[in-house]
Amino acid sequence: MKFQKVYTLQEIANIIGCEYVGDTDFPVTGMNEIHVVESGDIVFVDHPKYYEKALNSAATIVLINKNVACPDGKALLISEDPFRDFNKLTNYFKPFQVSNVSIATSAYIGEGTVIQPNTFVGNHVVIGKNCLIHSNVSIYDYTVIGDNVIIHAGTILGADAFYYKKRTEGYDQLLSGGRVVIKDNVGIGALCTIDKGVTGDTTIGEGTKIDNQVHVGHDTVIGKKCLIASQTGIAGCVIIEDEVTIWGQVGTTSGITIGAKAVILGQTGVTKSVEGGKSYFGTPIEESREKLKQLANIKKIPEILNKLK
């Protein structure tokens, strides 16, 4: 998430009420999760296991719960609860906006786009030309949709990330201030759910086609001309490169990459990153030919046991 202007380190510290290490006028231009941070961004860390990763990341401002040595060229925000204070910043820069109309007045809808009844279009949404949005679709604030996109009934774009911190009193949600970005010529089936990024974008690439009842988690990036079949669940922060085919009832873990032109056969559990240009099957995932050989060999076990007897 990039801010609309450059803030100083002191201004950010005042917003969340914390101490800081660094020059008072140190520039702050945004806030992001660690996998997408850039110079000028704030990243938060609240566990010693990840201190080094955060301090050595591209982020130049680290929101941390310990006064550690500050790396050269960076600044620290010292907080007793970085998770809570990251939420404060999200709420300050991207607060929830109430809407009491079906199509927000701040939304932009391109020429030739058709929006069927009972669809909700939120604040600051941008929809391109010649799109067809069927009934009962919910398009949350700041979603961006390109040209020639078809979205079928009941689909939801921009729900919150599934991201929680466990506390003694229950689970504390990390607020989502990111977006969903749908590129040109995308087709999305009925009853799909695509979560917005925590601070960045969840992106569906140009020409990709998504079947009914598919879930896409926060900050996932899907490439161009992919095919994703029904009842697939894609976790957060996944990268799916161009022209990947994913068949029905596939599930993935978070933070992995599926290489370009890979084919993931139905009911596979994608438990790790996989190379492109190959076919995969099973849980844990393996190349499909090898996995099918293993299954054929398993069928021979009763025969082998009988021979041993």
Side-chain angles (χ1 to χ4, degrees):
M1 181 198 305
K2 293 300 181 185
F3 303 150
Q4 292 184 351
K5 68 171 190 174
V6 177
Y7 287 80
T8 67
L9 183 64
Q10 185 177 44
E11 286 175 322
I12 298 297
N14 289 341
I15 290 169
I16 58 178
C18 76
E19 299 178 357
Y20 61 88
V21 176
D23 185 71
T24 297
D25 295 324
F26 192 93
V28 186
T29 57
M31 54 187 287
N32 264 314
E33 288 188 277
I34 196 162
H35 63 286
V36 289
V37 286
E38 299 173 345
S39 179
D41 284 345
I42 303 167
V43 68
F44 86 91
V45 61
D46 58 3
H47 194 289
K49 180 179 178 181
Y50 303 109
Y51 283 174
E52 186 175 351
K53 184 176 181 181
L55 291 166
N56 293 323
S57 71
T60 45
I61 305 94
V62 181
L63 177 59
I64 191 169
N65 56 348
K66 185 178 181 181
N67 195 340
V68 298
C70 183
D72 292 341
K74 300 196 177 189
L76 304 178
L77 293 160
I78 312 299
S79 165
E80 63 179 18
D81 192 336
F83 188 99
R84 176 201 65 198
D85 287 339
F86 200 76
N87 272 347
K88 283 184 181 179
L89 291 173
T90 299
N91 200 43
Y92 182 89
F93 290 106
K94 224 37 166 335
F96 175 74
Q97 298 179 48
V98 175
S99 180
N100 57 5
V101 292
S102 294
I103 299 177
T105 55
S106 58
Y108 172 83
I109 299 170
E111 183 181 355
T113 286
V114 174
I115 298 178
Q116 295 285 79
N118 300 320
T119 282
F120 170 73
V121 179
N123 300 292
H124 310 291
V125 167
V126 175
I127 302 175
K129 300 176 182 178
N130 302 315
C131 296
L132 174 56
I133 315 295
H134 285 279
S135 60
N136 299 307
V137 171
S138 291
I139 303 173
Y140 285 41
D141 294 1
Y142 294 99
T143 296
V144 177
I145 298 172
D147 299 336
N148 307 309
V149 171
I150 298 173
I151 302 174
H152 285 278
T155 282
I156 298 169
L157 306 181
D160 286 344
F162 189 72
Y163 195 139
Y164 293 87
K165 182 179 180 64
K166 189 174 183 180
R167 301 190 188 273
T168 54
E169 64 274 16
Y171 292 99
D172 195 2
Q173 183 179 20
L174 187 65
L175 299 181
S176 297
R179 306 184 301 174
V180 170
V181 176
I182 310 295
K183 301 291 188 177
D184 295 347
N185 303 308
V186 168
I188 301 175
L191 299 173
C192 293
T193 53
I194 301 176
D195 291 346
K196 61 188 169 189
V198 170
T199 50
D201 294 338
T202 303
T203 305
I204 312 298
E206 183 176 352
T208 285
K209 309 300 181 183
I210 297 176
D211 196 3
N212 304 325
Q213 296 179 318
V214 170
H215 172 74
V216 180
H218 70 90
D219 294 285
T220 283
V221 177
I222 298 175
K224 299 177 181 178
K225 295 189 286 186
C226 295
L227 288 175
I228 302 175
S230 179
Q231 298 179 17
T232 287
I234 301 168
C237 304
V238 172
I239 296 174
I240 299 174
E241 295 180 349
D242 296 346
E243 298 184 52
V244 168
T245 299
I246 299 178
W247 294 117
Q249 297 186 333
V250 167
T252 82
T253 191
S254 63
I256 61 166
T257 297
I258 299 176
K261 298 185 178 180
V263 177
I264 312 296
L265 300 182
Q267 296 191 328
T268 291
V270 188
T271 52
K272 61 183 179 181
S273 295
V274 294
E275 295 179 8
K278 298 179 180 179
S279 177
Y280 297 93
F281 176 62
T283 305
I285 190 171
E286 295 184 68
E287 285 191 56
S288 56
R289 282 187 297 181
E290 180 61 29
K291 196 72 171 182
L292 292 170
K293 285 179 185 177
Q294 292 174 11
L295 293 173
N297 288 332
I298 288 170
K299 288 183 178 181
K300 295 177 182 179
I301 290 175
E303 180 185 344
I304 294 169
L305 289 174
N306 286 332
K307 287 180 179 180
L308 290 173
K309 288 178 183 178

